[in-house]
Amino acid sequence: MSGDFRANACVARTAVPVLAIAPFRAAIIEQTRGGALLAALFGVPHESALRLHAVLAQPTAGTLTLLCADVVQEYPALTPECMPAHWFERELWEQWRVLPVGHPWLKPIRFQPARTADAPMPAPIGCTEFFAVAGGETHEVAVGPVHAGIIEPGHFRFQCYGEQVLHLEISLGYQHRGIERAVAGGPTARTIHHMETLAGDTTIGHTLAYVQACEALAECRVPPRAQALRAIALELERLANHTGDIGALAGDIGYLPTAAYCGRIRGDFLNMTALLCGNRFGRGLVRPGGVLFDLDDERRTQLAQRLRQAERDVRVATQLLWTTPSVLARFEGTGTLTRAQCEQLGVVGVAARASGIINDVRGDFPAGWYCQEHVSPASCDTGDVYARAMVRLLEIQHALLFIHCVLAALPKGPITTTCGPRGAARQVVSLVEGWRGMICHVALTDAAGQFAAYKIIDPSFHNWMGLALAMRGQQISDFPLCNKSFNLSYCGHDL
Amino acid sequence: MIRAILTRLQQRYRTLVYPTRTPVLPDRFRGLPRIERARCAADCAACVAVCPVQAITKDTNGIALDLGRCLFCGACETACAYHAVTFTREHRLAAGSRAGLRCTAQELPRVTALQGRMHALFGRSLKLRQVCAGGCNACEADINVLNTVVFDLGRFGIQFVAAPRHADGVLITGPVTANMRGALEKTWQAVPAPKLVIAVGACAISGGPYRDQVETHNGADTILPVDLYIPGCPPHPLTILDGLLQLLGKGGG
């Protein structure tokens, strides 16, 4: 059961092996223990059963393993032996009413209506059992869904002993907009806009994952110039978000100079995306077949110039942060997630690299312009807030270098081509390293080439549990700092 | 300390003098649409067909564009062979009523400034509780930007506050998901009267790309009475700021 499939390449749905549930489980358990990431695990109705689809990504080999198994009503849960399946199995149960027997904490993750025909209405959101801690001097703190700042809604339950957090339980679903349900059967004229607004701060990342899937299904070859412009846009998105996050981390510990500077510089990066396509978040730029806006020479010169200025501003603003002992004292040793915990949970992206796991889709499963121009993966090994800030800083430096290299050797030619009809009864797994981490879209087409199913996994889906574990033993007052150091998406999770 | 001072000098003074002077927006920015009905061909409805959110309608008088539904994707502009729809760089898009977002030429939507007691109460100090009810974090991000040194929202007497009890109104983003409806209503109820409701972004005004999906409502005014609509997907920070300032009678005009 070796990795036989490639990312961003389409295969016939019949090429994906359908196993009995026992070897299906065994393969997932064995491969995740061997360092594979459980990129996706989801259900698609098949005749009278539910067909489970698993996607395992082998970062070192750069290959994928695709597996299926049919289940009816129940199957033995993977979670007790494979923790990365924890959240996926809760989702499976919530969406399809298939019971993973032996799941240790089976409860809704989104409070969404089940997708089966005769489904009962879901429980009102938040009405569920929460972990509880009993005993003298223990207490519970409930926060959200409406938080203090201008951020997305989610509910947090802290079990505390004095100031110390014993456990944090994260309960989401408030942002559920039904994207996967709406995309299935499509694409329609709205689909691209669902992708662009799936997680607004990751507009380019998710749209890119979507168009890569469409292009693979249509066997469309995107012009090199379009690939290069997409990569520039993806890195600008990373620059804006990482810079903003460093500023917000500074803000959360009350170090206002860097908070003010980085908050502004983030806007400079957003304005560079607007220079390219008119929208600060890159809306309207990426479409199946290419991009809709070109970078003429004058614009290219201006972008390079603005990048150099922003590079100088970020360097000075972050040097100030990194040379202030009181800042480092607050960052170091706070919210530690060990490498072992990351591996056990299947954490991805910045959080994983901060714990020494050097996985990065841009290097492991390169697509588009990342096959031409490489980005060195950034990493740190302490797994604390400091490490997550450090990885962001390194990734800012690498992204700046990358964009300068792409700009210097921007290929000539068209920026778009026709993306024809999608193949019938095909399957594709599209991977993109968004600024938070690995974005995975899985598209399955029907006999007409329409989406029989469309699965979206934002990196946040893998990482929310990581935040919960990083909070154990921390002071509750450090929650904003820890939360910001992960900066996970609510709507990307809730879909 | 010396390093902090040197850094401060390096980072320079960055606050815009808005609304006295409007900064130059990118040439590809898609702001207020210009509709030229005279250019329209009688038998053509290409713009109506390509709009993903049915923002454009056509009747015997010609085409009309609903800014409250528009995602500013530019698909209509590309589809129109007669240049009857083009997007200008005008960032002022806010309106005081839902009907005021209907665009049939190049008229600027109107916001009526608060009058009388409301102006006396909020004109110099407006505290808002932001509620994200299914927003994708783009509207939220560009609202947050108003707190940066570039826009420096505080100088206009406007502040986002944590507690609805301290607020004069709620500013809503997102189509209002079924799962956020209860929390939004509770937040609004906790704001002392008189109070304002402001809807920011296509989702909060009309449901945006999520319109008519069972998981969401079709925007804030299906739940609460909205006083100010600020269109965009997401609206540019200047569009949001302009809307707020016009409401307080501080707009640059």
Side-chain angles (χ1 to χ4, degrees):
Chain A
M1 211 54 61
S2 60
D4 298 330
F5 297 92
R6 286 186 302 122
N8 315 309
C10 100
V11 295
R13 283 175 67 179
T14 48
V16 179
V18 183
L19 310 180
I21 188 69
F24 176 82
R25 288 181 77 257
I28 294 174
I29 292 163
E30 186 197 321
Q31 291 206 16
T32 48
R33 284 185 182 160
L37 291 164
L38 184 58
L41 176 66
F42 60 99
V44 180
H46 180 79
E47 292 166 5
S48 61
L50 184 72
R51 177 159 288 180
L52 302 184
H53 288 254
V55 178
L56 292 144
Q58 314 277 0
T60 43
T63 55
L64 302 177
T65 302
L66 307 182
L67 299 171
C68 290
D70 289 339
V71 295
V72 181
Q73 287 182 341
E74 60 175 48
Y75 71 97
L78 280 155
T79 304
E81 292 162 89
C82 171
M83 274 168 57
H86 163 66
W87 219 255
F88 286 113
E89 292 196 311
R90 279 172 58 175
E91 183 188 45
L92 272 172
W93 174 74
E94 182 174 36
Q95 289 185 340
W96 302 107
R97 296 285 142 188
V98 163
L99 184 70
V101 178
H103 192 288
W105 196 231
L106 200 58
K107 51 186 276 184
I109 63 169
R110 300 192 181 99
F111 298 86
Q112 68 178 102
R115 292 176 63 184
T116 49
D118 53 344
M121 282 304 289
I125 187 152
C127 293
T128 179
E129 194 188 346
F130 287 93
F131 274 114
V133 174
E137 298 186 25
T138 61
H139 63 106
E140 182 178 87
V141 179
V143 180
V146 180
H147 300 294
I150 304 173
I151 59 166
E152 298 177 68
H155 182 76
F156 301 109
R157 279 289 168 103
F158 298 90
Q159 307 299 330
C160 299
Y161 176 73
E163 291 292 299
Q164 191 193 344
V165 177
L166 297 174
H167 184 67
L168 160 63
E169 189 167 6
I170 297 166
S171 185
L172 302 174
Y174 296 90
Q175 296 279 69
H176 179 61
R177 296 162 292 171
I179 293 179
E180 286 181 345
R181 189 192 55 73
V183 173
T188 65
R190 284 196 192 179
T191 305
I192 190 84
H193 301 284
H194 283 149
M195 297 299 155
E196 288 189 332
T197 57
L198 195 159
D201 49 32
T202 318
T203 296
I204 298 290
H206 276 290
T207 311
L208 203 48
Y210 168 70
V211 298
Q212 277 181 192
C214 290
E215 287 154 5
L217 290 166
E219 297 188 0
C220 160
R221 292 178 70 87
V222 180
R225 191 174 177 87
Q227 294 178 5
L229 293 176
R230 286 174 175 184
I232 290 172
L234 186 66
E235 296 308 317
L236 283 175
E237 186 168 88
R238 195 180 319 278
L239 284 167
N241 283 296
H242 282 358
T243 306
D245 281 350
I246 290 176
L249 284 171
D252 274 336
I253 55 166
Y255 190 69
L256 299 184
T258 301
Y261 307 145
C262 284
R264 172 191 65 80
I265 303 164
R266 173 180 170 281
D268 288 351
F269 287 123
L270 294 176
N271 288 338
M272 290 180 216
T273 302
L275 174 73
L276 177 57
C277 72
N279 182 289
R280 283 156 57 88
F281 296 86
R283 293 191 178 162
L285 177 64
V286 180
R287 290 292 181 272
V291 291
L292 293 188
F293 294 93
D294 203 355
L295 198 65
D296 48 71
D297 286 344
E298 194 189 326
R299 223 173 275 273
R300 178 162 75 167
T301 312
Q302 204 189 349
L303 178 58
Q305 191 188 339
R306 287 208 215 169
L307 273 173
R308 278 191 293 275
Q309 179 61 47
E311 191 170 355
R312 202 157 39 236
D313 290 349
V314 174
R315 189 174 60 236
V316 176
T318 52
Q319 265 175 1
L320 183 64
L321 189 78
W322 258 265
T323 52
T324 304
S326 58
V327 168
L328 301 181
R330 290 286 286 112
F331 281 8
E332 286 174 354
T334 306
T336 302
L337 194 64
T338 65
R339 182 183 175 126
Q341 284 174 316
C342 284
E343 285 170 344
Q344 220 177 3
L345 293 172
V347 168
V348 299
V350 169
R353 290 193 285 279
S355 300
I357 301 172
I358 311 174
N359 289 345
D360 188 322
V361 172
R362 292 173 294 173
D364 303 334
F365 304 93
W369 205 246
Y370 294 99
C371 300
Q372 314 293 329
E373 190 73 52
H374 298 283
V375 189
S376 337
S379 81
C380 208
D381 54 11
T382 46
D384 48 7
V385 171
Y386 174 84
R388 288 186 285 276
M390 191 63 183
V391 167
R392 284 184 170 89
L393 179 63
L394 292 171
E395 291 190 1
I396 288 171
Q397 294 166 357
H398 296 176
L400 285 163
L401 190 64
F402 175 87
I403 299 179
H404 279 305
C405 290
V406 178
L407 285 177
L410 197 62
K412 294 199 183 340
I415 53 164
T416 186
T417 184
T418 310
C419 183
R422 290 161 304 279
R426 314 287 281 178
Q427 174 168 351
V428 62
V429 178
S430 174
L431 297 178
V432 169
E433 187 71 23
W435 62 273
R436 283 190 180 92
M438 180 176 71
I439 295 168
C440 175
H441 286 206
V442 187
L444 276 67
T445 57
D446 59 19
Q450 296 294 94
F451 296 134
Y454 197 94
K455 182 74 201 136
I456 299 157
I457 299 110
D458 186 86
S460 311
F461 193 90
H462 299 282
N463 286 8
W464 276 108
M465 195 63 195
L467 168 62
L469 285 200
M471 274 311 292
R472 284 194 179 170
Q474 301 295 303
Q475 289 205 4
I476 191 168
S477 53
D478 274 342
F479 176 67
L481 181 61
C482 290
N483 189 25
K484 184 48 79 176
S485 74
F486 283 84
N487 194 10
L488 302 176
S489 175
Y490 300 75
C491 56
H493 171 276
D494 292 347
L495 298 174
Chain B
M1 189 63 201
I2 188 76
R3 187 189 280 272
I5 294 167
L6 290 173
T7 305
R8 174 67 193 84
L9 293 172
Q10 187 273 336
Q11 299 278 335
R12 311 210 312 273
Y13 182 84
R14 301 284 186 164
T15 307
L16 299 174
V17 286
Y18 192 86
T20 318
R21 272 202 308 251
T22 304
V24 180
L25 290 170
D27 60 335
R28 287 174 174 169
F29 174 73
R30 293 177 292 281
L32 184 70
R34 179 194 291 134
I35 309 275
E36 293 174 83
R37 287 176 158 182
R39 288 173 174 267
C40 242
D43 57 344
C44 172
C47 55
V48 179
V50 296
C51 181
V53 287
Q54 293 80 47
I56 304 191
T57 48
K58 188 171 183 181
D59 59 20
T60 48
N61 295 322
I63 53 171
L65 195 156
D66 180 358
L67 291 176
R69 288 194 183 194
C70 185
L71 304 178
F72 297 81
C73 68
C76 48
E77 185 175 16
T78 312
C80 181
Y82 309 99
H83 306 289
V85 188
T86 48
F87 285 86
T88 70
R89 284 153 81 188
E90 174 60 62
H91 70 279
R92 291 169 298 174
L93 302 171
S97 73
R98 187 66 184 82
L101 293 173
R102 196 176 129 89
C103 193
T104 55
Q106 197 196 345
E107 64 272 35
L108 268 182
R110 295 168 62 90
V111 176
T112 310
L114 295 175
Q115 304 291 326
R117 178 160 178 256
M118 292 291 269
H119 187 264
L121 279 171
F122 304 142
R124 287 181 296 170
S125 165
L126 179 68
K127 312 279 178 190
L128 295 171
R129 169 65 249 192
Q130 202 276 325
V131 180
C132 168
C136 73
N137 209 22
C139 284
E140 293 74 9
D142 269 354
I143 294 165
N144 257 320
V145 156
L146 297 178
N147 287 320
T148 64
V149 293
V150 178
F151 298 92
D152 190 17
L153 192 63
R155 72 199 152 115
F156 302 107
I158 308 170
Q159 191 190 354
F160 287 98
V161 293
R165 297 276 188 220
H166 296 162
D168 304 315
V170 290
L171 184 145
I172 302 165
T173 53
V176 186
T177 56
N179 283 349
M180 264 306 282
R181 181 183 179 152
L184 172 63
E185 285 173 337
K186 280 187 189 173
T187 306
W188 183 74
Q189 281 156 8
V191 176
K195 50 190 160 184
L196 296 167
V197 178
I198 300 168
V200 173
C203 288
I205 299 175
S206 66
Y210 303 97
R211 185 173 179 83
D212 295 334
Q213 285 183 208
V214 292
E215 296 86 352
T216 66
H217 300 279
N218 287 339
D221 67 5
T222 60
I223 314 284
L224 300 173
V226 173
D227 301 283
L228 178 65
Y229 296 88
I230 304 178
C233 185
H236 192 278
L238 283 178
T239 305
I240 306 172
L241 183 56
D242 165 69
L244 295 173
L245 293 185
Q246 284 199 60
L247 186 70
L248 301 183
K250 293 175 176 176

